[in-house]
Each structure stands twice: as structure tokens, then as C-alpha cells.
């Protein structure tokens, strides 16, 4: 009996000890599971983890300071996907500003017999950076050059048709399209395009100009005349005097009719001017005031005299 009683006592003791240990372990596992469930519940309720909460707090801080969240800012800065028929490769840094590169592209216009009739050289500027504003401007620049290319091809077809009975090869034509960054301020970008066209058989070509101005706040084009505070008459008087001073300083370099020409010219509505960092420059084409070798004859008036402030 004593042995049996002793065996039963030992058995019961072992069972009790084993049960306590299992309960302790089960309690630890239960506590761990409860912690994980608590975290998961917190993520379910808040919709984000602790790291996500930190990011959200950062966004709220940005929103408090600027009035817009980071997501909104990124959306505003999402660039436009550029489309162009030009093969833009090997960009070259612009010499006047580190904000612009250009692509030099040679485009040939062929005859039906696949002979080269015309060679067009394009220098196409593009703004650096990945902002939406820059992308809008870059696309407008590309559209500008594509219109020129299509125009030249259409002109060739008309020319070829008019020369259909011409006995011999069509004379070669050369087109050179370049640009100048004339203005780059906090608010505006000014591009002065120069087209040099030398049609077959001519002694030399003739240059033409076009000034295009952009807002760096909207990405759209700006009419430079709208920025001028002076009236049309005041503007014309200032540039008339500037050209007269230029001519009288070296009268032998200009036509005898040059003074009369500048006195009767409407500078305000002509569009023959462009904006620079310091002021406005008006110009006359070759042959208008002097011989061809003089090129564009220019006169400048500073912004102070024009009552303009581009800042």
C-alpha cells in the first residue's frame, strides 16, 4: 500500500508540474499573438503602419507650411510626354545658360528619284529638368520646328511642280535654323529664332527672325507687347531716336534714305524686336537700312527707359 500511495503521489505531482509549465508557455504565446493582433488591428483601423504614419505626418507638415501635400506637388510637376518627329540624340550644352541644351539635326528633302534636293539644318533647344512647365515649353518648341520642316517640304513640292518642265537637275537649296537664348529670368524665357534660307543659284541667302517668349510660371507663350508700359507713340519715339543716333554716328554706312525709313517705321506693331536681360532690341533686316554685309541693324533701349520691370 505504501508503494502504491507513493507512486500515486509522484504521478499527481508530475502532472501538476507539467500543466503549470504548459500554461506558462501558452500564456507567453497568447501574449505574443495578442500583441501581433493589436498591431494588425491598429493597421486595419488607421490604414497604415508606424512608418506610414510617419510619412503621413511629414505630408501634413508640408501641407501646413505650403498649403499643398507632397502628392499634389508631384502631380503638378509630372512632365508631359514629349512627341516629335525629330530624332533627338547627343544633346549639346548651350553656351549662354546651363538651363538649356540643343540638338543639331540635318534633314534632307528628296526628289521622287531619291536625289537630295534640299538640306535643312536644325538647332533645336530644349530646357533641362523634369518639371511640367519645362515639358510644356519643350513640346511647343518641338511643334515650332516641325511646322517649319513640313512647310519646307510643302514648298519643295510646289517648287518641283513649277519646274516640272525644267531640263536638268533642280538647284540645291539650303536652310539653317538656329536660335539664341536672349532672355532667361525668374519669370520669362525668350528665344530668338533665326532662319537662313539660301535657294538654288542665289549669291547668298536671306536671314529672317522670330521672337518667342514663354512664361516660366505657366509654360504658355507671352506676347511681349503686353509687357510694355509705354504707349505706342512713346515706344516708337524712343526707338526712332535710337536709330537716328546710330545712323548719324556713321552716315556713310547707311543708305541716304535711312533716316527717313526709321522716322516712318512702326516699331511697336512690327514685331521686329526681342527682349534681353537688359532691355529691348529692335532691328531692321539686311538691305533695309544698309548693304547686305551689315546684317541686322539693331538699336537697344534699356528697361528703365521703357518703364518695364520683368522681375
Amino acid at each position: 500500500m505504501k508503494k502504491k500511495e507513493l507512486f500515486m503521489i509522484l504521478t499527481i505531482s508530475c502532472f501538476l508540474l507539467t500543466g503549470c509549465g504548459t500554461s506558462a508557455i501558452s500564456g507567453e504565446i497568447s501574449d505574443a499573438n495578442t500583441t501581433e493582433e493589436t498591431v494588425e488591428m491598429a493597421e486595419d483601423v488607421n490604414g497604415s503602419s508606424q512608418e506610414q504614419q510617419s510619412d503621413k505626418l511629414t505630408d501634413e507638415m508640408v501641407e501646413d507650411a505650403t498649403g499643398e501635400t507632397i502628392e499634389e506637388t508631384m502631380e503638378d510637376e509630372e512632365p508631359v510626354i514629349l512627341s516629335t518627329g525629330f530624332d533627338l540624340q547627343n544633346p549639346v550644352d548651350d553656351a549662354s545658360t546651363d538651363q538649356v541644351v540643343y540638338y543639331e539635326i540635318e534633314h534632307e528633302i528628296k526628289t521622287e528619284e531619291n536625289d537630295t534636293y534640299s538640306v535643312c539644318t536644325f538647332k533645336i533647344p530644349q530646357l533641362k529638368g523634369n518639371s511640367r512647365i519645362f515639358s510644356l515649353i519643350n513640346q511647343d518648341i518641338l511643334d515650332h520646328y516641325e511646322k517649319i520642316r513640313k512647310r519646307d517640304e510643302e514648298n519643295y513640292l510646289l517648287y518641283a511642280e513649277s519646274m516640272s518642265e525644267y531640263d536638268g537637275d533642280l538647284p540645291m537649296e539650303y536652310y539653317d535654323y538656329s536660335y539664341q537664348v536672349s532672355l532667361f529670368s525668374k519669370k520669362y524665357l525668350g528665344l530668338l529664332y533665326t532662319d537662313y534660307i539660301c535657294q538654288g543659284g542665289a549669291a547668298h541667302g536671306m536671314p529672317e527672325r522670330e521672337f518667342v517668349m514663354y512664361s516660366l510660371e505657366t509654360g504658355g507663350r507671352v506676347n511681349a507687347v503686353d509687357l510694355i508700359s509705354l504707349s505706342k507713340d512713346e515706344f516708337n519715339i524712343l526707338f526712332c531716336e535710337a536709330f537716328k543716333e546710330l545712323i548719324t554716328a556713321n552716315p556713310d554706312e547707311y543708305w541716304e534714305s535711312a533716316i527717313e525709313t526709321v522716322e516712318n517705321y512702326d516699331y511697336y506693331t512690327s514685331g521686329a524686336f526681342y527682349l534681353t536681360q537688359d532691355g529691348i532690341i529692335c532691328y531692321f533686316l539686311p538691305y533695309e537700312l544698309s548693304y547686305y554685309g551689315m546684317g541686322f541693324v539693331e538699336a537697344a533701349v534699356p528697361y528703365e527707359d521703357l518703364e518695364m520691370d520683368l522681375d
Side-chain angles (χ1 to χ4, degrees):
M1 289 289 294
K2 288 184 179 180
K3 289 183 179 179
K4 289 183 178 180
E5 290 175 354
L6 179 61
F7 177 78
M8 289 180 64
I9 292 171
L10 290 173
T11 301
I12 293 170
S13 299
C14 290
F15 175 79
L16 289 174
L17 288 172
T18 304
C20 290
T22 303
S23 298
I25 294 172
S26 299
E28 290 176 0
I29 294 174
S30 176
D31 289 343
N33 290 337
T34 302
T35 303
E36 290 178 0
E37 289 174 359
T38 303
V39 172
E40 291 174 355
M41 288 175 63
E43 289 182 355
D44 290 340
V45 172
N46 296 323
S48 60
S49 65
Q50 184 176 358
E51 291 180 357
Q52 292 171 324
Q53 286 291 325
S54 176
D55 291 341
K56 184 176 180 181
L57 179 61
T58 305
D59 285 2
E60 290 173 351
M61 291 171 64
V62 172
E63 184 172 10
D64 290 340
T66 66
E68 59 184 6
T69 63
I70 289 175
E71 287 82 4
E72 290 172 338
T73 302
M74 290 178 67
E75 183 177 352
D76 289 343
E77 290 298 311
E78 183 178 351
V80 176
I81 298 175
L82 300 180
S83 61
T84 178
F86 290 100
D87 185 15
L88 302 181
Q89 294 186 22
N90 303 319
V92 180
D93 289 331
D94 186 276
S96 63
T97 173
D98 59 3
Q99 296 292 321
V100 176
V101 296
Y102 69 87
Y103 299 86
E104 189 163 357
I105 297 171
E106 189 173 275
H107 172 63
E108 294 184 351
I109 300 176
K110 303 281 190 176
T111 64
E112 292 181 356
E113 293 76 20
N114 203 35
D115 295 326
T116 300
Y117 158 71
S118 177
V119 177
C120 306
T121 302
F122 299 93
K123 286 186 178 179
I124 305 176
Q126 293 282 271
L127 291 169
K128 292 181 180 180
N130 201 32
S131 74
R132 181 173 179 81
I133 297 297
F134 280 17
S135 296
L136 290 171
I137 295 173
N138 285 340
Q139 184 62 63
D140 190 79
I141 292 171
L142 293 174
D143 291 344
H144 171 85
Y145 276 90
E146 292 212 22
K147 287 179 182 177
I148 291 174
R149 182 177 65 176
K150 290 178 181 178
R151 180 199 68 190
D152 291 343
E153 290 177 350
E154 291 172 358
N155 287 344
Y156 158 69
L157 293 176
L158 293 173
Y159 178 72
E161 184 179 353
S162 68
M163 299 289 287
S164 59
E165 297 181 0
Y166 177 76
D167 186 16
D169 295 332
L170 292 176
M172 284 285 292
E173 294 188 353
Y174 298 91
Y175 301 82
D176 185 74
Y177 300 98
S178 59
Y179 75 94
Q180 171 190 340
V181 180
S182 65
L183 170 67
F184 206 129
S185 65
K186 293 180 180 179
K187 293 184 179 180
Y188 302 107
L189 167 68
L191 295 177
L192 180 65
Y193 294 114
T194 300
D195 305 346
Y196 181 80
I197 303 173
C198 185
Q199 296 182 318
H204 57 73
M206 278 296 295
E208 296 180 354
R209 280 177 169 177
E210 180 181 0
F211 179 64
V212 179
M213 191 168 176
Y214 296 97
S215 166
L216 294 178
E217 296 176 340
T218 67
R221 290 197 182 194
V222 176
N223 188 349
V225 174
D226 295 338
L227 302 177
I228 299 172
S229 302
L230 299 181
S231 68
K232 174 181 174 179
D233 290 341
E234 292 171 327
F235 186 87
N236 284 339
I237 289 172
L238 278 176
F239 276 99
C240 177
E241 293 303 316
F243 276 106
K244 286 170 69 175
E245 182 178 347
L246 195 69
I247 295 168
T248 54
N250 296 285
D252 295 338
E253 294 185 354
Y254 300 91
W255 308 138
E256 291 182 1
S257 59
I259 291 292
E260 181 181 356
T261 300
V262 300
E263 287 179 336
N264 294 294
Y265 194 75
D266 188 350
Y267 304 93
Y268 190 88
T269 58
S270 68
F273 64 83
Y274 59 97
L275 277 64
T276 69
Q277 301 294 125
D278 304 313
I280 294 181
I281 294 179
C282 282
Y283 59 86
F284 284 88
L285 296 173
Y287 289 129
E288 288 188 304
L289 295 181
S290 184
Y291 54 93
Y292 180 83
M294 283 283 287
F296 292 96
V297 179
E298 299 183 335
V301 175
Y303 289 127
E304 294 80 8
D305 296 347
L306 296 163
E307 299 179 10
M308 291 177 62
D309 183 5
L310 296 186
D311 295 330

